[in-house]
mmCIF file of all heavy atoms in Angstrom:
data_model
loop_
_atom_site.group_PDB
_atom_site.id
_atom_site.type_symbol
_atom_site.label_atom_id
_atom_site.label_comp_id
_atom_site.label_asym_id
_atom_site.label_seq_id
_atom_site.Cartn_x
_atom_site.Cartn_y
_atom_site.Cartn_z
ATOM 1 N N THR J 276 113.015 114.642 97.189
ATOM 2 C CA THR J 276 113.734 113.607 97.924
ATOM 3 C C THR J 276 112.778 112.474 98.267
ATOM 4 O O THR J 276 111.671 112.726 98.740
ATOM 5 C CB THR J 276 114.325 114.176 99.226
ATOM 6 O OG1 THR J 276 115.171 115.281 98.902
ATOM 7 C CG2 THR J 276 115.127 113.123 99.955
ATOM 8 N N PRO J 277 113.151 111.225 98.022
ATOM 9 C CA PRO J 277 112.258 110.118 98.359
ATOM 10 C C PRO J 277 111.851 110.161 99.829
ATOM 11 O O PRO J 277 112.697 110.342 100.708
ATOM 12 C CB PRO J 277 113.103 108.875 98.050
ATOM 13 C CG PRO J 277 114.096 109.326 97.037
ATOM 14 C CD PRO J 277 114.403 110.757 97.390
ATOM 15 N N PRO J 278 110.559 110.036 100.137
ATOM 16 C CA PRO J 278 110.129 110.039 101.545
ATOM 17 C C PRO J 278 110.707 108.858 102.302
ATOM 18 O O PRO J 278 110.924 107.784 101.745
ATOM 19 C CB PRO J 278 108.601 109.970 101.455
ATOM 20 C CG PRO J 278 108.320 109.417 100.101
ATOM 21 C CD PRO J 278 109.426 109.875 99.209
ATOM 22 N N PHE J 279 110.946 109.071 103.569
ATOM 23 C CA PHE J 279 111.507 108.041 104.446
ATOM 24 C C PHE J 279 110.533 107.850 105.598
ATOM 25 O O PHE J 279 110.352 108.746 106.423
ATOM 26 C CB PHE J 279 112.882 108.475 104.955
ATOM 27 C CG PHE J 279 113.602 107.436 105.769
ATOM 28 C CD1 PHE J 279 114.440 106.520 105.164
ATOM 29 C CD2 PHE J 279 113.449 107.387 107.147
ATOM 30 C CE1 PHE J 279 115.117 105.564 105.922
ATOM 31 C CE2 PHE J 279 114.119 106.444 107.910
ATOM 32 C CZ PHE J 279 114.958 105.535 107.290
ATOM 33 N N VAL J 280 109.885 106.680 105.654
ATOM 34 C CA VAL J 280 108.866 106.405 106.660
ATOM 35 C C VAL J 280 109.341 105.220 107.503
ATOM 36 O O VAL J 280 109.656 104.157 106.960
ATOM 37 C CB VAL J 280 107.499 106.093 106.011
ATOM 38 C CG1 VAL J 280 106.451 105.812 107.067
ATOM 39 C CG2 VAL J 280 107.070 107.252 105.123
ATOM 40 N N ALA J 281 109.392 105.417 108.808
ATOM 41 C CA ALA J 281 109.917 104.391 109.706
ATOM 42 C C ALA J 281 108.961 104.177 110.870
ATOM 43 O O ALA J 281 109.146 104.740 111.948
ATOM 44 C CB ALA J 281 111.302 104.788 110.215
ATOM 45 N N PRO J 282 107.911 103.368 110.700
ATOM 46 C CA PRO J 282 106.984 103.100 111.805
ATOM 47 C C PRO J 282 107.640 102.256 112.894
ATOM 48 O O PRO J 282 108.543 101.456 112.618
ATOM 49 C CB PRO J 282 105.840 102.335 111.123
ATOM 50 C CG PRO J 282 106.477 101.694 109.929
ATOM 51 C CD PRO J 282 107.532 102.650 109.465
ATOM 52 N N HIS J 283 107.160 102.439 114.120
ATOM 53 C CA HIS J 283 107.672 101.664 115.245
ATOM 54 C C HIS J 283 107.219 100.210 115.128
ATOM 55 O O HIS J 283 106.202 99.914 114.490
ATOM 56 C CB HIS J 283 107.170 102.274 116.562
ATOM 57 C CG HIS J 283 107.858 101.754 117.773
ATOM 58 N ND1 HIS J 283 107.292 100.801 118.596
ATOM 59 C CD2 HIS J 283 109.081 102.040 118.305
ATOM 60 C CE1 HIS J 283 108.132 100.529 119.584
ATOM 61 N NE2 HIS J 283 109.215 101.262 119.442
ATOM 62 N N HIS J 284 107.966 99.308 115.755
ATOM 63 C CA HIS J 284 107.637 97.883 115.599
ATOM 64 C C HIS J 284 106.336 97.503 116.294
ATOM 65 O O HIS J 284 105.854 96.386 116.118
ATOM 66 C CB HIS J 284 108.791 97.010 116.107
ATOM 67 C CG HIS J 284 109.084 97.134 117.560
ATOM 68 N ND1 HIS J 284 110.104 97.929 118.044
ATOM 69 C CD2 HIS J 284 108.508 96.576 118.646
ATOM 70 C CE1 HIS J 284 110.140 97.851 119.358
ATOM 71 N NE2 HIS J 284 109.182 97.031 119.750
ATOM 72 N N THR J 285 105.764 98.404 117.090
ATOM 73 C CA THR J 285 104.455 98.119 117.687
ATOM 74 C C THR J 285 103.301 98.577 116.789
ATOM 75 O O THR J 285 102.140 98.502 117.210
ATOM 76 C CB THR J 285 104.340 98.825 119.047
ATOM 77 O OG1 THR J 285 104.550 100.240 118.867
ATOM 78 C CG2 THR J 285 105.353 98.291 120.042
ATOM 79 N N ALA J 286 103.593 99.037 115.586
ATOM 80 C CA ALA J 286 102.551 99.547 114.686
ATOM 81 C C ALA J 286 101.526 98.450 114.385
ATOM 82 O O ALA J 286 101.874 97.281 114.174
ATOM 83 C CB ALA J 286 103.166 100.057 113.390
ATOM 84 N N SER J 287 100.257 98.850 114.339
ATOM 85 C CA SER J 287 99.190 97.897 114.043
ATOM 86 C C SER J 287 99.087 97.672 112.541
ATOM 87 O O SER J 287 99.723 98.358 111.729
ATOM 88 C CB SER J 287 97.856 98.437 114.574
ATOM 89 O OG SER J 287 97.485 99.621 113.866
ATOM 90 N N LEU J 288 98.234 96.712 112.171
ATOM 91 C CA LEU J 288 98.017 96.421 110.760
ATOM 92 C C LEU J 288 97.464 97.637 110.029
ATOM 93 O O LEU J 288 97.917 97.985 108.937
ATOM 94 C CB LEU J 288 97.060 95.230 110.629
ATOM 95 C CG LEU J 288 96.757 94.749 109.222
ATOM 96 C CD1 LEU J 288 98.008 94.229 108.538
ATOM 97 C CD2 LEU J 288 95.686 93.657 109.238
ATOM 98 N N SER J 289 96.487 98.327 110.630
ATOM 99 C CA SER J 289 95.899 99.501 109.991
ATOM 100 C C SER J 289 96.899 100.638 109.875
ATOM 101 O O SER J 289 96.892 101.372 108.886
ATOM 102 C CB SER J 289 94.671 99.968 110.780
ATOM 103 O OG SER J 289 93.642 98.993 110.744
ATOM 104 N N ALA J 290 97.770 100.784 110.880
ATOM 105 C CA ALA J 290 98.760 101.848 110.824
ATOM 106 C C ALA J 290 99.753 101.615 109.700
ATOM 107 O O ALA J 290 100.249 102.575 109.084
ATOM 108 C CB ALA J 290 99.495 101.963 112.154
ATOM 109 N N LEU J 291 100.040 100.357 109.401
ATOM 110 C CA LEU J 291 101.038 100.055 108.379
ATOM 111 C C LEU J 291 100.447 100.083 106.970
ATOM 112 O O LEU J 291 101.001 100.731 106.079
ATOM 113 C CB LEU J 291 101.669 98.692 108.654
ATOM 114 C CG LEU J 291 102.908 98.365 107.815
ATOM 115 C CD1 LEU J 291 104.055 99.300 108.178
ATOM 116 C CD2 LEU J 291 103.338 96.924 108.032
ATOM 117 N N ILE J 292 99.330 99.401 106.752
ATOM 118 C CA ILE J 292 98.798 99.309 105.389
ATOM 119 C C ILE J 292 97.626 100.260 105.146
ATOM 120 O O ILE J 292 97.191 100.432 104.009
ATOM 121 C CB ILE J 292 98.359 97.870 105.061
ATOM 122 C CG1 ILE J 292 97.114 97.483 105.864
ATOM 123 C CG2 ILE J 292 99.492 96.903 105.302
ATOM 124 C CD1 ILE J 292 96.492 96.180 105.423
ATOM 125 N N GLY J 293 97.096 100.877 106.222
ATOM 126 C CA GLY J 293 95.945 101.761 106.067
ATOM 127 C C GLY J 293 94.668 101.040 106.478
ATOM 128 O O GLY J 293 94.623 99.824 106.622
ATOM 129 N N GLY J 294 93.623 101.816 106.665
ATOM 130 C CA GLY J 294 92.337 101.221 107.018
ATOM 131 C C GLY J 294 91.525 102.158 107.875
ATOM 132 O O GLY J 294 91.704 103.374 107.862
ATOM 133 N N GLY J 295 90.634 101.595 108.629
ATOM 134 C CA GLY J 295 89.690 102.353 109.432
ATOM 135 C C GLY J 295 88.297 101.779 109.256
ATOM 136 O O GLY J 295 88.084 100.868 108.441
ATOM 137 N N THR J 296 87.353 102.302 109.988
ATOM 138 C CA THR J 296 85.976 101.819 109.911
ATOM 139 C C THR J 296 85.118 102.724 109.034
ATOM 140 O O THR J 296 84.700 102.334 107.957
ATOM 141 C CB THR J 296 85.375 101.722 111.318
ATOM 142 O OG1 THR J 296 85.541 102.982 111.998
ATOM 143 C CG2 THR J 296 86.066 100.636 112.123
ATOM 144 N N SER J 297 84.892 103.948 109.472
ATOM 145 C CA SER J 297 84.064 104.855 108.681
ATOM 146 C C SER J 297 84.850 105.503 107.554
ATOM 147 O O SER J 297 84.321 105.757 106.462
ATOM 148 C CB SER J 297 83.465 105.942 109.583
ATOM 149 O OG SER J 297 84.493 106.693 110.205
ATOM 150 N N GLN J 298 86.132 105.784 107.781
ATOM 151 C CA GLN J 298 86.962 106.436 106.777
ATOM 152 C C GLN J 298 88.230 105.632 106.576
ATOM 153 O O GLN J 298 88.909 105.268 107.541
ATOM 154 C CB GLN J 298 87.310 107.860 107.225
ATOM 155 C CG GLN J 298 88.171 108.622 106.234
ATOM 156 C CD GLN J 298 88.558 109.991 106.748
ATOM 157 O OE1 GLN J 298 88.240 110.351 107.881
ATOM 158 N NE2 GLN J 298 89.237 110.773 105.932
ATOM 159 N N LEU J 299 88.585 105.343 105.318
ATOM 160 C CA LEU J 299 89.796 104.594 105.016
ATOM 161 C C LEU J 299 90.965 105.564 104.982
ATOM 162 O O LEU J 299 91.073 106.418 104.101
ATOM 163 C CB LEU J 299 89.648 103.876 103.667
ATOM 164 C CG LEU J 299 88.605 102.752 103.637
ATOM 165 C CD1 LEU J 299 88.547 102.104 102.269
ATOM 166 C CD2 LEU J 299 88.906 101.699 104.694
ATOM 167 N N ILE J 300 91.864 105.430 105.965
ATOM 168 C CA ILE J 300 92.982 106.358 106.115
ATOM 169 C C ILE J 300 94.250 105.692 105.585
ATOM 170 O O ILE J 300 94.536 104.540 105.902
ATOM 171 C CB ILE J 300 93.151 106.740 107.590
ATOM 172 C CG1 ILE J 300 91.877 107.412 108.106
ATOM 173 C CG2 ILE J 300 94.350 107.656 107.788
ATOM 174 C CD1 ILE J 300 91.890 107.697 109.589
ATOM 175 N N PRO J 301 95.059 106.384 104.772
ATOM 176 C CA PRO J 301 96.300 105.799 104.253
ATOM 177 C C PRO J 301 97.253 105.434 105.375
ATOM 178 O O PRO J 301 97.344 106.122 106.397
ATOM 179 C CB PRO J 301 96.876 106.922 103.382
ATOM 180 C CG PRO J 301 95.713 107.801 103.048
ATOM 181 C CD PRO J 301 94.788 107.722 104.216
ATOM 182 N N GLY J 302 97.968 104.328 105.182
ATOM 183 C CA GLY J 302 98.931 103.869 106.180
ATOM 184 C C GLY J 302 100.348 104.225 105.801
ATOM 185 O O GLY J 302 100.604 105.002 104.866
ATOM 186 N N ALA J 303 101.307 103.637 106.510
ATOM 187 C CA ALA J 303 102.719 103.959 106.317
ATOM 188 C C ALA J 303 103.192 103.593 104.911
ATOM 189 O O ALA J 303 104.014 104.301 104.331
ATOM 190 C CB ALA J 303 103.560 103.237 107.365
ATOM 191 N N ILE J 304 102.680 102.494 104.345
ATOM 192 C CA ILE J 304 103.154 102.100 103.024
ATOM 193 C C ILE J 304 102.727 103.089 101.950
ATOM 194 O O ILE J 304 103.416 103.260 100.940
ATOM 195 C CB ILE J 304 102.680 100.672 102.662
ATOM 196 C CG1 ILE J 304 101.152 100.600 102.577
ATOM 197 C CG2 ILE J 304 103.196 99.658 103.654
ATOM 198 C CD1 ILE J 304 100.642 99.263 102.075
ATOM 199 N N THR J 305 101.595 103.759 102.154
ATOM 200 C CA THR J 305 101.171 104.784 101.196
ATOM 201 C C THR J 305 101.951 106.073 101.418
ATOM 202 O O THR J 305 102.311 106.757 100.454
ATOM 203 C CB THR J 305 99.666 105.040 101.330
ATOM 204 O OG1 THR J 305 98.959 103.826 101.022
ATOM 205 C CG2 THR J 305 99.207 106.130 100.373
#
Side-chain angles (χ1 to χ4, degrees):
T276 303
F279 185 90
V280 180
H283 193 259
H284 63 261
T285 57
S287 66
L288 182 64
S289 295
L291 191 66
I292 70 170
T296 53
S297 60
Q298 180 183 4
L299 293 181
I300 300 174
I304 63 174
T305 298

